[in-house]
Every structure is written in C-alpha cells, then in structure tokens.
Amino acid sequence: MAAVELLIGQERWLHRGDFVASFIELVPAAGSGEMMAFVDWRRASTRLKRGQLVCSSGEGQLLQLCASLAEGVPVDLGNALTSVDTSTVVLVAEAVLRAGGCADPARCGQDGGAR
C-alpha cells in the first residue's frame, strides 16, 4: 500500500500511458466486484534496469523505491534519495513510515513512537 501511495503522490508515472498500459492491471475485487488496480512492480523494475522504460534519473529512482517497498526489490537508498527533489524525499519518508506501520506519518513519534 505504501508503494502505491508513493506512486500516486509523485503523479508522473500514472500520467504515462505506456506505464499504465504495461504495468497496471485492473481486476474486480472478490465479493464486491469493485475494480482494483495492481502494479507489476518487478516487471516495471526489470524493464527500467534494462533501459526499456525511458525516464529521468529521479523518476527511475522513485519507481525503484516503490518496487522496493512493494516487492523487496533491492535499491541503493543513498543513490535513490540524492536523485530526487526534496518534495519527493518527503513522499518517500512518509511511505517508509506507512510501510513501518505508522498510519499517520505527520503524527508518528509524537506519542513516544506508538503505532
């Protein structure tokens, strides 16, 4: 969930038709039938590493960070964070807090670290 929220917060990838068509699948949810979107993080990461997904360095690093959060794809955190702008670093920090169990990153740590 944290990876998807990071992807949504960054916005650029979701506005790319090639990314959406190649790596996002819509399926009906069991029971309700509501449409749900799934991202094929590993395939996107592999295509990016092979140079088959053209983007800026920062966009590529953000996609790798998402894949790492979602699927455990290895990423060089130092390299990734120095390749994105400050607002994206904030989005990444919030995603990491969510992945760690903090439902509201703005409030994490205010109550002694309780989740």
Side-chain angles (χ1 to χ4, degrees), residues 10 12-13 16 48 54-64 83-84:
Q10 187 261 357
R12 289 182 198 99
W13 284 109
R16 286 186 51 167
L48 180 67
V54 178
C55 62
S56 72
S57 173
E59 289 169 337
Q61 291 296 344
L62 181 107
L63 187 59
Q64 289 296 89
S83 297
V84 297

Side-chain angles (χ1 to χ4, degrees), residues 76-92:
D76 179 334
L77 191 56
N79 188 40
L81 293 176
T82 58
S83 297
V84 297
D85 60 24
T86 304
S87 62
T88 302
V89 171
V90 171
L91 291 172
V92 171

Side-chain angles (χ1 to χ4, degrees), residues 25-39:
E25 180 182 358
L26 295 176
V27 297
S32 71
E34 265 187 86
M35 296 306 286
M36 297 179 62
F38 291 92
V39 180

Side-chain angles (χ1 to χ4, degrees), residues 97 102 104-115:
L97 287 167
C102 177
D104 182 3
R107 299 189 59 196
C108 281
Q110 293 178 357
D111 54 5
R115 294 182 191 174

